[in-house]
Amino acid sequence: MGVLARLAARLGRTREAIGDGISGLFRGGREIDAALFNELEELLWTSDLGPIAGELCEELKRLHRRGELKGEEDVRSHLRKELSARLDESAEDPPQPSAGPLIVLIVGVNGSGKTTSIAKLAHRFTEQGKRVLLGAADTFRAAAADQLEVWAERNGADIVRSHKDGADPASVAFDAAKRGQEDGADIVLVDTAGRLHTQRNLLEELEKVRRVLGKAVDGAPHETWLVLDATNGQNAVQQAKEFTSAVEVSGLVLAKLDGTARGGAVFGIRDALSLPVRYVGTGESLGDLDLFDPGAFIDAIVPEGSGEGPRA
Amino acid sequence: MFESLTERLTSSFAGLRGRKELTAENVEEGLREVRQALLEADVHFRVAKDLVEKVRERALGDERIKGVDASEQFVHAFHQELVELMGPEDARIQFASKPPTVILVAGLQGAGKTTTCAKLAKLLKEKHQKRPLLVAADVKRPAAIEQLRVMGERVGVPVHSVEGAAPPLVCTSGVHRAKEEGHDVVILDTAGRLHVAEELMREVGGLAREVKPDAQVLVVDAMTGQDAVQSAESFHSELELTGLILTKLDGDARGGAAVSLKAVTGCPVLFVGTGEKVEDLEPFHPDRMAGRILGMGDVVGLVEKASQEIDEREAQDTYEKMVMGTFTLEDMLAQLRMMRRLGPMKKVLGMMPGIGGMAKDLDIDDKHMNRLEALFTSMTPAERLQPGLLDMSRRRRIARGSGQEVGAVNELLKRFKDMKKLMKQMGKMGMGAKLGAKAKRDALKGMSATGELAGDAGGAGGLGSMLGGGGLGSMLGGGGDMGGMPVPPGGANPFEGNRPMGSSSTRKRPAKRKKKPKRSRKGRKR
């Protein structure tokens, strides 16, 4: 078998296991039994729903015992209902403050996709006709500011950066906010260095960046977004908790949702912190960033049924 | 890294504790908890299922140990399964018989490839006496080449790049340059790619066929969830991986990916990334990892680290003084400094049995240690040698000198007294004269039922005495932030005022004390 065919076959399996999982379970007119519940459990756990997977399964078993579940459509619709109840609202772009630029602080663990997400956000906002300024406050990772500068150029956005290694991130952030205000920018996106949420001192550094932004511009940062890697498992919940307690995260950007990962950890985050998902990253190009759509997100975990039995 | 799993298992075993036999029922209880814990630790669903089946067989199988608690036997069974699953122990990069050894490093975006390449180059250079060349084959991400160049500079390894060239050309010319300049290892840093991006996957596959690397390594984020299995499978079929590197293990990710990846690819985890600094890359040890899972802490790692950092003669001196009762504040300071050489307290404590899980919740910051040290250094040498000199006026002076309250000085002196009292008692007990059946069982309980690890318990005990367990416990006890910490089951609680860390082993197994660090040092050379 050629590489391509092998890949196609494997991807087919993946899709079957995840996307069409429920239909797969019921193909051939199976009854609702223990084996089926096991497969259902697998479907939910492998979507990174975490403990919520266990809860949902218990709930379904209970309903089945009470005779409230008859077949595929019942299971499907009940699951979708449960999931939507946990992740209801659609996202919108944030409103502009009454005066001055909207200042957004972007935070996250190493490699979660902050810089790329900022590039995509900048693209989105410039397309909307807004003036965007980027603040390169990741002064730790080698060449991070260079990377952001390339993105700024490609987007026609301005950038405030320091040319010296290991500069104080708070002072870069301060300059960016001030420049944004003076130059009449609409949005200032402040990039920060990736840091693990267990590093207390680095979270404190971030807290300082936040404080200093408030000194530069009243009410800043107006938004603080945590960029999560959709392939992360249950640790994402821990990340959200720690970053929120340090810098009052106001929304999530779910990056890397274009693979096979389903990002189910956001359910746990929603449960624990009521943090809304704002945007999802869905590909490699600048345009691949969408407002979060809970319906589509849930479709990827439990697809909507056709109402006519198993789908092909 | 696996703390939460540890906590979970600990509580599920509490139910089994005290019962003599494993039965189908009480095993089920434990298994349910284990399965849930594995899943919450991001072990893939199927892998968790298989593992639970194997543990059930083993726990109920023939290898029943008579007279051992059901919980201990369960831990034993689980430990062995995990070790076997994550093994073998001595996985390493195979160097080519004819240099240079070409290592291709691949992975998803953001896994940590570039940082890992630099760390790997440093490790090979310093621990294996190689002359590596880094090759910047990520021509896609803006400034990736620049990042590698800076990292290369930081670790003192040259970086090869070709402006505007495609990855295959960059790599082949890199290998060529290595041959000319006498580099015996070439590390290819490839662009991050998504496993479902067919074109990019074909590209890296093609690159591998053209360059024919000796090792093909996948870098995986330890925080990865269930998807680890799918991406690893894809990379494996495209690249024929020879090993894995797990990054960002210094967070609190439960790291179930470590278990899944091995199960799915059959490739060993070669190294783990444990910090932001370029030296934070360590060999992977399945038994230690399993040990962490089971709440035994990374005892071997601690002993190894200790043997690197602690002067043996110094440790022996301290130990003798403790036993002889001639221990002074001067010795206590030496001990504190010795301990601090092991690294940040949090990291050290995370390696201790039964504490790993708590370390993350504790605020044992190194500031507390700084304050302690300031107290000592505000004393005169005479005062440190003769603590009896310390009257109120001297204490006030020390408090002022160290910028603290007199209470802090008093607290320190109380700890010191407690330590001395304890050492006296230890001396009286003849250090292990009463080693009996119960002691052996306790040793088993502390560490696992496997013989080899029970042996390591001796190592831990040895370390305890080297460090002066009482000292560590007392010093930390002085922090005042640790009230109400749960006592780790089967292990000494270092946060109880004056109970020494590893005291049970210290008392009962003195013979192991001196041997263990040596053994682990031998192990390090492998």
Side-chain angles (χ1 to χ4, degrees), chain B residues 75-373:
Chain B
V75 173
H76 182 196
F78 195 51
H79 179 270
Q80 284 194 332
E81 270 322 320
L82 279 175
V83 172
E84 276 171 31
L85 191 67
M86 291 190 288
E89 163 72 32
D90 54 351
R92 66 197 131 168
I93 286 187
Q94 302 288 337
F95 295 109
S97 50
K98 194 169 158 257
T101 303
V102 180
I103 304 170
L104 183 144
V105 177
L108 299 173
Q109 289 100 338
K113 287 175 300 299
T114 304
T115 305
T116 300
C117 283
K119 287 178 175 180
L120 184 61
K122 183 179 165 71
L123 183 135
L124 292 176
K125 181 177 146 196
E126 288 173 7
K127 300 248 162 90
H128 296 262
Q129 287 75 47
K130 297 285 176 191
R131 295 192 60 226
L133 176 71
L134 284 161
V135 174
D138 179 357
V139 298
K140 197 149 180 291
R141 181 163 58 98
I145 297 173
E146 178 63 12
Q147 186 187 354
L148 190 67
R149 204 187 51 71
V150 174
M151 296 295 287
E153 228 163 73
R154 222 173 270 174
V155 297
V157 171
V159 174
H160 176 79
S161 64
V162 183
E163 192 75 32
L169 179 62
V170 178
C171 292
T172 44
S173 66
V175 174
H176 186 72
R177 172 175 160 188
K179 283 177 186 158
E180 281 195 341
E181 294 180 7
H183 294 285
D184 45 12
V185 175
V186 182
I187 300 172
L188 311 174
D189 179 24
T190 67
R193 65 199 76 227
L194 201 56
H195 57 288
V196 291
E198 294 184 18
E199 199 180 315
L200 292 176
M201 289 303 285
R202 276 204 306 277
E203 180 198 277
V204 75
L207 177 65
R209 279 188 294 279
E210 189 164 340
V211 183
K212 296 190 183 59
D214 304 284
Q216 307 192 31
V217 177
L218 182 69
V219 175
V220 185
D221 183 337
M223 296 183 280
T224 310
Q226 300 277 320
D227 198 49
V229 161
Q230 258 139 27
S231 52
E233 263 180 352
S234 300
F235 274 100
H236 193 37
S237 73
E238 197 63 60
L239 284 179
E240 286 154 18
L241 298 171
T242 56
L244 307 160
I245 296 180
L246 213 54
T247 59
K248 308 180 205 174
L249 261 175
D250 47 329
D252 57 356
R254 303 181 197 178
V259 182
S260 310
L261 288 171
K262 175 68 193 335
V264 169
T265 63
C267 290
V269 179
L270 302 168
F271 297 101
V272 293
T274 58
E276 296 205 327
K277 293 196 290 297
V278 281
E279 60 268 24
D280 293 331
L281 187 73
E282 297 168 13
F284 175 75
H285 296 282
D287 56 336
R288 295 186 197 174
M289 195 73 130
R292 287 187 80 116
I293 299 174
L294 296 174
M296 298 172 339
D298 187 1
V299 170
V300 187
L302 189 60
V303 172
E304 188 167 294
K305 214 167 168 118
S307 66
Q308 277 175 33
E309 303 291 341
I310 291 178
D311 179 53
E312 215 166 325
R313 184 190 299 267
E314 205 180 323
Q316 180 64 19
D317 274 2
T318 309
Y319 169 72
E320 274 165 15
K321 279 178 184 160
M322 284 167 69
V323 179
M324 303 295 288
T326 55
F327 191 74
T328 65
L329 281 166
E330 186 74 42
D331 300 318
M332 196 168 164
L333 171 62
Q335 203 183 39
L336 173 73
R337 287 183 171 155
M338 203 148 72
M339 211 165 67
R340 300 198 68 180
R341 283 210 295 273
L342 293 181
M345 279 320 292
K346 230 173 177 159
K347 217 164 173 174
V348 173
L349 282 178
M351 295 162 105
M352 299 259 179
I355 304 170
M358 283 183 272
K360 72 170 153 53
D361 299 325
L362 287 176
D363 250 330
I364 314 180
D365 49 272
D366 290 274
K367 279 185 201 140
H368 173 56
M369 295 314 224
N370 289 338
R371 284 196 296 272
L372 263 178
E373 202 166 331

Side-chain angles (χ1 to χ4, degrees), chain A residues 3 6 10 41-42 45 48 110 141-142 147 196-197 200 231 233-235 238-239 256 260 284, chain B residues 35 42 45-46 109 140-142 146-147 195 223 225-227 230 237-238 248 250 252-253 363:
Chain A
V3 173
R6 229 167 44 215
R10 200 175 44 248
E41 208 183 357
E42 174 166 355
W45 275 106
D48 286 318
N110 315 61
R141 181 165 60 98
Q147 186 185 352
L196 288 184
H197 52 290
R200 186 78 40 104
T231 64
Q234 294 311 298
N235 193 249
Q238 214 52 39
Q239 292 170 29
K256 310 186 203 176
T260 43
E284 304 231 338
Chain B
R35 178 171 170 279
D42 295 326
F45 189 85
R46 296 248 166 108
Q109 289 100 338
K140 197 149 180 291
R141 181 163 58 98
E146 178 63 12
Q147 186 187 354
H195 57 288
M223 296 183 280
Q226 300 277 320
D227 198 49
Q230 258 139 27
S237 73
E238 197 63 60
K248 308 180 205 174
D250 47 329
D252 57 356
D363 250 330

Side-chain angles (χ1 to χ4, degrees), chain A residues 37 73 76 161 193 217 226 240 267:
Chain A
F37 275 120
E73 278 315 305
R76 190 198 292 275
R161 63 169 291 186
V217 174
L226 172 67
F267 285 95

Side-chain angles (χ1 to χ4, degrees), chain B residues 369-517:
Chain B
M369 295 314 224
N370 289 338
R371 284 196 296 272
L372 263 178
E373 202 166 331
L375 284 177
F376 282 109
T377 49
S378 298
M379 297 173 190
T380 64
E383 284 166 348
R384 285 198 292 268
L385 290 168
Q386 290 169 272
L389 288 174
L390 291 167
D391 56 16
M392 249 345 258
S393 98
R394 283 175 190 257
R395 290 185 196 191
R396 269 197 294 272
R397 191 206 75 234
I398 292 163
R400 265 201 314 279
S402 63
Q404 295 175 66
E405 300 291 318
V406 178
V409 185
N410 290 337
E411 182 68 16
L412 175 68
L413 291 174
K414 185 177 172 301
R415 299 271 160 214
F416 174 70
K417 262 191 206 142
D418 287 346
M419 267 174 82
K420 281 202 79 147
K421 203 159 85 191
L422 188 89
M423 286 167 199
K424 219 185 253 169
Q425 284 167 0
M426 277 161 56
K428 270 190 201 141
M429 282 182 63
M431 296 303 289
K434 290 177 189 162
L435 186 72
K438 184 162 183 312
K440 282 181 198 145
R441 256 194 53 169
D442 282 356
L444 189 68
K445 187 183 270 172
M447 287 302 134
S448 135
T450 59
E452 112 215 50
L453 276 161
D456 287 332
L463 182 72
S465 53
M466 271 169 34
L467 290 172
L472 180 56
S474 314
M475 283 178 197
L476 292 174
D481 309 319
M482 296 80 149
M485 288 310 302
V487 181
N493 178 8
F495 307 114
E496 269 175 14
N498 51 15
R499 193 171 154 198
M501 164 92 53
S503 63
S504 60
S505 313
T506 308
R507 277 184 216 146
K508 285 154 193 159
R509 308 189 71 118
K512 296 273 186 189
R513 177 173 36 83
K514 279 175 258 171
K515 283 184 194 154
K516 283 307 143 186

Side-chain angles (χ1 to χ4, degrees), chain A residues 2 12 25 37 39 43 50 54 85 87 92 162 176 200-201 216 222 275 289:
Chain A
L25 296 184
F37 275 120
E39 287 171 40
L43 172 88
L87 206 67
E92 289 173 2
S162 164
R200 186 78 40 104
N201 54 335
H222 306 93
L275 277 181
L289 179 92

